[in-house]
C-alpha cells in the first residue's frame, strides 16, 4: 500500500525490532520489580510466577532474599525456590540450615521434604535434641517431620519422639504417625496409651487423646 522499496521495508522491520527489544527489556525490569514488591509483602503467588531455571533474574532475586536479614521474607523466598522447575535448591538449604532464625530453619526442613533432600537429617536431629520442655520454636515441628520422612527406620526415632519432653516434638510425631498407620500401630500401643492417659502431666494426657484420634481406638478399650 505504501509502495516502499525493498530496502526501506528492511529498515522499517529493523526499527520495529529495536523498539520491540527495548520494550521487552522494560517489561522484564517491571516484572522483576513487581516480584520484589510482592516478596516484600509476602503476597507472591507461586502459581502466577512459575519460576524456572532459565529465569535467572527472578532466581537471583529469590536467592538474595533467602539470604537476607528479614526472616519472614527469607523463609518465603525459600518456599518459592523449593518447587522451582529445574532449580537445585539443595546448596541453598545447606547454607541456611544453620540460620539463627527458627522461621528460616523451619522452611529449610519443609523445603527439604519437598525437594526429597535427605542430607539435612543430622541437622534436623540436632534441632530436636536441643528442644527443651516448653519451647515452641517454629523449627521443631518441621524438623520432626523431616527426620521421620528420611530416617530409614522411622519406628526408632518415632518412639523417642513420642516420649520427648517437648510437647511440640511429641505432638508432631503423633500427627505424622496418624498418616502412617503401620508404624503407628507399632509405637502407639495400649500400654503406652494407658501410661500417657494416667500421667500427672496434662500435656501427656492430651497426647494420649491425640494418639487415639490418629491411631484409632481399636484394641484400646
Amino acid at each position: 500500500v505504501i509502495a516502499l522499496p525493498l530496502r526501506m521495508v528492511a529498515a522499517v522491520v529493523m526499527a520495529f525490532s529495536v523498539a520491540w527489544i527495548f520494550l521487552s527489556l522494560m517489561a522484564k525490569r517491571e516484572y522483576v520489580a513487581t516480584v520484589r514488591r510482592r516478596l516484600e509483602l509476602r503476597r507472591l503467588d507461586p502459581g502466577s510466577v512459575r519460576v524456572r531455571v532459565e529465569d535467572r533474574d527472578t532466581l537471583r532475586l529469590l536467592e538474595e532474599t533467602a539470604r537476607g536479614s528479614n526472616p519472614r521474607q527469607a523463609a518465603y523466598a525459600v518456599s518459592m525456590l523449593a518447587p522451582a522447575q529445574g532449580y537445585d535448591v539443595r546448596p541453598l538449604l545447606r547454607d541456611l540450615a544453620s540460620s539463627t532464625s527458627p522461621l528460616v530453619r523451619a522452611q529449610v526442613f519443609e523445603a527439604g521434604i519437598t525437594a526429597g533432600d535427605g542430607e539435612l537429617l543430622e541437622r534436623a536431629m540436632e534441632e530436636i535434641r536441643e528442644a527443651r520442655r516448653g519451647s515452641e520454636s517454629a523449627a521443631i515441628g518441621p524438623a520432626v517431620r523431616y527426620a521421620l520422612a528420611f530416617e530409614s527406620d522411622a519406628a526408632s526415632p518415632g518412639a523417642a519422639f513420642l516420649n520427648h519432653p517437648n510437647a511440640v516434638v511429641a505432638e508432631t510425631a503423633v500427627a505424622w504417625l496418624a498418616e502412617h498407620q503401620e508404624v503407628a500401630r507399632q509405637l502407639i500401643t495400649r500400654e503406652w496409651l494407658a501410661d500417657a492417659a494416667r500421667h500427672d502431666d496434662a500435656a501427656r494426657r492430651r497426647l494420649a487423646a491425640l494418639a487415639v484420634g490418629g491411631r484409632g481406638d481399636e484394641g484400646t478399650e
Side-chain angles (χ1 to χ4, degrees):
V1 174
I2 304 177
L4 291 173
L6 188 59
R7 185 174 300 175
M8 289 300 297
V9 171
V12 170
V13 171
M14 289 177 64
F16 274 116
S17 298
V18 171
W20 179 80
I21 292 171
F22 174 75
L23 291 173
S24 296
L25 292 173
M26 292 293 292
K28 182 178 182 180
R29 184 179 302 173
E30 181 62 26
Y31 170 76
V32 172
T34 300
V35 171
R36 187 183 297 275
R37 285 195 299 270
R38 291 187 177 181
L39 266 176
E40 291 172 354
L41 297 172
R42 289 179 291 127
R43 293 179 179 173
L44 195 60
D45 178 14
S48 67
V49 178
R50 296 187 296 276
V51 180
R52 295 182 299 274
V53 70
E54 295 86 359
D55 194 355
R56 296 292 182 182
D57 288 327
T58 305
L59 288 173
R60 189 179 304 112
L61 173 59
L62 289 170
E63 286 179 341
E64 289 173 359
T65 305
R67 291 188 169 94
S69 58
N70 187 310
R72 293 187 180 277
Q73 290 181 16
Y76 191 61
V78 172
S79 73
M80 293 292 300
L81 286 167
Q85 299 176 11
Y87 177 75
D88 185 5
V89 74
R90 292 175 297 179
L92 180 66
L93 299 183
R94 305 286 187 284
D95 293 343
L96 298 179
S98 299
S99 169
T100 57
S101 167
L103 282 175
V104 174
R105 297 198 305 275
Q107 193 55 61
V108 164
F109 294 129
E110 296 288 7
I113 295 173
T114 300
D117 177 19
E119 295 300 316
L120 301 173
L121 183 57
E122 182 52 42
R123 183 66 192 87
M125 295 300 292
E126 182 181 347
E127 187 84 43
I128 296 164
R129 285 193 295 269
E130 292 176 354
R132 298 292 179 261
R133 183 187 298 273
S135 173
E136 296 183 354
S137 168
I140 295 174
V144 172
R145 287 191 291 274
Y146 182 96
L148 290 170
F150 290 105
E151 181 64 60
S152 57
D153 180 13
S156 179
F161 296 165
L162 282 177
N163 296 297
H164 199 283
N166 182 277
V168 178
V169 173
E171 291 184 15
T172 304
V174 166
W176 186 89
L177 288 169
E179 300 174 1
H180 300 79
Q181 288 293 312
E182 185 175 337
V183 183
R185 293 188 179 280
Q186 296 179 44
L187 301 181
I188 304 176
T189 62
R190 186 179 186 284
E191 292 72 25
W192 183 90
L193 283 169
D195 290 342
R198 291 194 298 262
H199 205 281
D200 294 337
D201 186 351
R204 297 298 293 178
R205 300 197 299 275
R206 166 184 162 82
L207 189 65
L210 292 173
V212 171
R215 176 193 182 278
D217 62 0
E218 181 182 356
T220 64
E221 294 80 5

